[in-house]
Amino acid sequence: MTRAFVLAARPEGGPKPSDFELCHTPESAPAEGEVRVRNVFVSVDPYMRGRMTGVHTYVPPYEIGGSIDGAAVGRVVESHDERFAEGDWVVSQLGWCEAGVVAGHRLRKLDPSVAPPSTALGMLGMPGFTAWIGLVDIGRVSEGETIYVSGAAGAVGSAAAQIARLKGLRVIGSAGTAAKVEWLRSLGIEAFDYHETRPKEALADGIDAYFDNVGGVHLEAGLAALRPHGCVIACGAISRYNDLRAEPGPRNLFLMVTKRLRLQGFIVFDHNDRFPAFLAEVGPWVRSGELTYRETIVDGLENIPDAFAGLFRGDNVGKMLVRVGPDD
Ligand code: NAP
């Protein structure tokens, strides 16, 4: 038997423990071409909140009573695919569970001598890739520009802020605690705590691009601060994900017209062909230490729902992960 979470109820507002149930499920044997993987690190991500609402967007919703798939890093315990051997580190979409059987072609093997395997869920995985795609392909940002990154101490935000800085931009970043602000400042980011300083005031000098992770008042402030022909890289809107009803959009959207702004949303999965180019540029920065990363690691499979809820409380610095098993 193995343990896995299922969705017990669709969250209303913020996710709560009773929305999830930890179940025991029988283990199936891997067939030819399949691999059994034991999870070590499980990712909790803001986009999962949208999948819990039952509405089909760019990914299918989680079903009541169904498993909660998502990114995870683990080790191969039994392989019926010649590309994988026992002990290999792999990234899968096994999600919120202890272990499972996966088709080999759906796994990506990791080399732990190149980077710690957990980074495949953060700086060198989907969040870092999201930051890079947003800046390079969507925003097409340039050296000398000023960019505002909201949620700058989170997984995507801390990658976006640092990549922008490494590309020669002046970076202003917002975060929700003094400790996060201090960390960002140590990285050369002009950081402010949005509970203390209104984004509108922090951006009074003007910006050329806005990397939006938060939406709401941050988006309004970004639109107000953008210079003519500036760009909003619309990545996410975490301040709105737990809303019980849709709030009116930015009140100053007409500035898009008067300032000839560009606002482009994107979903990182559409750009998977660019993943090797991302790793080629960002991997060396991580290995040299020019690009640093933080992880907030919660221990214990049973704590996954609380770690997920913690994303909406701002509990994490850098990438939020749950360690569900030993790494040896
Ligand atoms: P994250 O930033 O590591 O974690 C969430 C953070 O959001 C929290 O730590 C908290 O930090 C902040 N937050 C929570 N509620 C907030 C609120 N009401 N107002 C302001 N800040 C709030 O998460 P992530 O994985 O990096 O994701 C960041 C954003 O990118 C999300 O909007 C996500 O949906 C989006 N995303 C988009 C794509 C894509 O393909 N477009 C892919 C991945 C992620 P503070 O302490 O600073 O408040």
Side-chain angles (χ1 to χ4, degrees), residues 9-326:
R10 302 211 178 277
E12 295 205 9
K16 50 190 188 306
S18 58
D19 296 329
F20 310 97
E21 188 184 350
L22 188 54
C23 299
H24 288 83
T25 54
E27 294 195 67
S28 56
E32 194 51 39
E34 291 184 334
V35 176
R36 177 187 302 290
V37 178
R38 176 178 59 74
N39 276 345
V40 178
F41 294 105
V42 166
S43 182
V44 288
D45 293 277
Y47 83 92
M48 294 174 152
R49 177 65 186 84
R51 294 186 70 184
M52 292 169 189
T53 61
V55 178
H56 194 297
T57 53
Y58 60 98
V59 270
Y62 296 126
E63 298 300 339
I64 299 290
S67 58
I68 301 171
D69 61 275
V73 155
R75 303 198 76 168
V76 171
V77 288
E78 183 181 346
S79 177
H80 293 257
D81 182 320
E82 61 186 14
R83 291 168 294 184
F84 300 95
E86 194 181 320
D88 281 351
W89 283 95
V90 290
V91 191
S92 75
Q93 287 294 316
L94 273 173
W96 296 13
C97 64
E98 266 172 340
V101 170
V102 189
H105 68 86
R106 301 200 63 196
L107 294 172
R108 183 165 65 88
K109 200 192 295 197
L110 301 171
D111 182 349
S113 70
V114 173
S118 60
T119 59
L121 298 175
M123 192 56 86
L124 292 176
M126 185 276 278
F129 183 38
T130 301
W132 185 83
I133 281 289
L135 293 169
V136 175
D137 287 11
I138 308 299
R140 305 191 290 274
V141 298
S142 304
E143 187 177 352
E145 291 180 344
T146 299
I147 190 168
Y148 170 45
V149 180
S150 58
V156 174
S158 62
Q162 291 184 80
I163 294 169
R165 194 209 62 213
L166 285 163
K167 287 184 174 289
L169 282 84
R170 175 184 167 213
V171 185
I172 304 172
S174 61
T177 67
K180 293 182 184 185
V181 166
E182 195 179 325
W183 176 50
L184 291 169
R185 286 183 181 159
S186 76
L187 301 174
I189 313 296
E190 296 174 34
F192 69 96
D193 182 339
Y194 65 88
H195 296 114
E196 305 290 330
T197 305
R198 291 196 307 161
K200 196 176 158 188
E201 286 155 23
L203 305 178
D205 290 349
I207 56 174
D208 302 295
Y210 171 39
F211 195 113
D212 188 16
N213 287 313
V214 171
V217 294
H218 293 257
L219 178 54
E220 276 194 6
L223 290 169
L226 276 164
R227 300 191 180 105
H229 304 285
C231 168
V232 177
I233 302 160
C235 177
I238 194 165
S239 70
R240 305 264 71 112
Y241 294 170
N242 288 327
D243 286 353
L244 292 170
R245 60 185 166 81
E247 297 293 330
R251 291 164 296 185
N252 55 358
L253 197 63
F254 186 61
L255 290 175
M256 297 282 303
V257 178
T258 56
K259 293 201 268 187
R260 298 84 155 170
L261 302 176
R262 181 166 65 91
L263 184 153
Q264 188 174 340
F266 70 104
I267 295 298
V268 69
F269 308 135
D270 295 341
H271 304 264
N272 282 343
D273 60 317
R274 296 275 285 147
F275 195 71
F278 153 71
L279 281 185
E281 182 165 31
V282 175
W285 283 333
V286 173
R287 286 193 288 281
S288 68
E290 287 170 278
L291 206 164
T292 61
Y293 64 89
R294 289 251 190 120
E295 295 169 336
T296 298
I297 299 180
V298 171
D299 273 301
L301 180 81
E302 60 284 1
N303 294 319
I304 294 177
D306 191 55
F308 175 63
L311 292 171
F312 303 94
R313 298 187 296 254
D315 289 357
N316 58 306
V317 186
K319 175 66 191 150
M320 179 74 100
L321 294 173
V322 183
R323 183 163 31 212
V324 302

